[in-house]
Amino acid sequence: MSKKRTFTIQKTARYFVHGEDITKAKRVWFVIHGYGQLAQYFIRSFEHLDPKENFILAPEGFHRFYLDGFSGRVGASWMTKEERLDDIDDYIKYLDELRERQTISPNQETILLGFSQGVATSMRWLALGNNSKFDKTILWAGSMPHDLKSEDAKNALDETAVHCVVGNHDPFLTKENIERVKSHLNQLQIEAIWHEYEGDHRIPIEPLNKLIARI
């Protein structure tokens, strides 16, 4: 009978940035992409932001794959159900180290934004990471990871201002999904601020700009 064995290797991770000088930026963003996206394209949603005031870091999930068949466009994922605990541990260590490598001062505002699958990834990083404290957290068009212990989730969100963003025509986020997220946050006694915009499963420029102006 076969037996599973594992060992740890060194792997090359990539990320993309937008901004001029992280040490002089007013805000430092970590933006976490969704399922089937690549960081180099996801970061385009933020490239209209002033590069002097905003420094954007877009890490990419380790698992790349063809989106249709055996060639063409490529996407990435943070994890699947296969060996999920190892994948979660790997990407949390990756995100921790990525942040550790940045020069960020206490007087700079730090923002974590997770989109779609990136919401669950962001939540796990907040709760389980060693270098994952943010002034503000934006959960855009995603759901809470149900496997995350309530005390871990509460401890993570207690120390950050939480903003949840949904499009009113998002086919992947039904009213039932939204109510479950609201119920989960209420159970954790987390006072999240909700923002709704006219649109679907994307991060349009205008709703993002309005959100930044409000927070």
Side-chain angles (χ1 to χ4, degrees), residues 18-20 25-29 49-56 111 212:
H18 165 73
E20 294 184 0
K26 179 180 178 181
R27 291 176 291 269
V28 178
W29 299 66
L49 300 179
D50 186 342
K52 293 182 179 179
E53 294 197 351
N54 299 273
F55 195 90
I56 319 292
I111 302 174
I212 294 172

Side-chain angles (χ1 to χ4, degrees), residues 31-51:
V31 296
I32 313 299
H33 68 77
Y35 179 82
Q37 296 182 307
L38 292 178
Q40 69 187 97
Y41 301 118
F42 181 62
I43 199 172
R44 291 179 180 176
S45 296
F46 308 90
E47 288 181 344
H48 68 283
L49 300 179
D50 186 342

Side-chain angles (χ1 to χ4, degrees), residues 134-197:
F134 290 87
D135 297 311
K136 296 172 182 175
T137 297
I138 301 170
L139 307 177
W140 195 303
S143 300
M144 305 280 283
H146 297 292
D147 59 332
L148 193 61
K149 293 180 181 179
S150 295
E151 58 268 29
D152 290 334
K154 179 169 177 55
N155 290 338
L157 295 177
D158 263 343
E159 300 182 14
T160 182
V162 182
H163 296 266
C164 298
V165 187
V166 294
N168 58 2
H169 297 296
D170 191 328
F172 301 106
L173 203 63
T174 65
K175 291 182 179 179
E176 290 75 17
N177 295 139
I178 295 172
E179 289 305 315
R180 279 197 291 270
V181 174
K182 288 183 176 180
S183 177
H184 194 168
L185 291 172
N186 287 336
Q187 289 175 9
L188 298 176
Q189 298 181 321
I190 300 298
E191 296 183 5
I193 300 174
W194 285 80
H195 308 264
E196 182 177 300
Y197 64 94

